[in-house]
Amino acid sequence: MMGFFDNKTVTLFNRSYNGETEKETYYPTLLEGVDLVETKGANVSKSGMDSADAVKLFVDVGKMAKPYLPPKEWKELSEKEKPNYITFTPAEDFFIKGDHTDLELPEEGALEWVQDNYDDCYKVTTIDKYEDILPHFEIGGV
């Protein structure tokens, strides 16, 4: 059976923004048995990116702790329902290597705060879903 080197743990934070209250809330989900491939600085010349610290997160659909919903469907859920599902929203969600489910985030600027205070924190940039022999997500992050 084909598989990933799925021995890593990351904590995903799904961002929810309430326009009426102007409050952002992050819902953490522990993703265990994932593969996190880091390419620190290796592709500056190839990609031309300013910051070449990038990662690819491989998540086996069968090992996800919560059911997945596409970003637009997830946003339509009530604040009460959102913690029961997982999504991957580019430019809004982020993940940190390790178990950080008990992390208390500031009310504003959470991503920037985490990037300033923790190593191995990545903003979701891309998402690809594969439904082949090994159904999985590949999430790009920087």
Side-chain angles (χ1 to χ4, degrees), residues 8-142:
K8 298 182 181 81
T9 299
V10 301
T11 307
L12 171 72
F13 291 86
N14 289 131
R15 179 182 182 264
S16 176
Y17 181 76
N18 183 323
E20 292 176 17
T21 63
E22 296 186 2
K23 184 179 177 200
E24 65 179 10
T25 305
Y26 284 88
Y27 297 101
T29 300
L30 191 65
L31 298 174
E32 296 180 288
V34 299
D35 192 12
L36 185 65
V37 179
E38 300 172 83
T39 56
K40 295 215 179 262
N43 49 3
V44 168
S45 59
K46 286 183 184 175
S47 67
M49 294 188 306
D50 293 337
S51 168
D53 286 359
V55 295
K56 192 71 102 163
L57 176 65
F58 297 88
V59 181
D60 182 336
V61 170
K63 292 185 178 180
M64 289 176 31
K66 301 174 184 177
Y68 171 81
L69 285 177
K72 289 177 183 164
E73 282 183 46
W74 187 84
K75 282 181 193 243
E76 295 300 315
L77 295 174
S78 70
E79 294 300 315
K80 198 174 183 179
E81 293 175 301
K82 285 180 180 175
N84 301 321
Y85 296 89
I86 187 173
T87 193
F88 301 106
T89 308
E92 292 189 18
D93 298 340
F94 66 91
F95 54 93
I96 311 172
K97 189 175 181 179
D99 182 348
H100 298 279
T101 51
D102 59 352
L103 185 63
E104 292 191 28
L105 298 171
E107 288 189 22
E108 291 181 14
L111 174 60
E112 293 77 12
W113 181 84
V114 172
Q115 288 172 326
D116 288 346
N117 291 282
Y118 289 85
D119 291 323
D120 303 315
C121 169
Y122 303 97
K123 179 171 55 173
V124 173
T125 54
T126 60
I127 172 170
D128 294 303
K129 184 177 183 183
Y130 295 90
E131 298 181 16
D132 50 13
I133 297 168
L134 184 66
H136 68 283
F137 290 96
E138 291 182 15
I139 295 94
V142 292

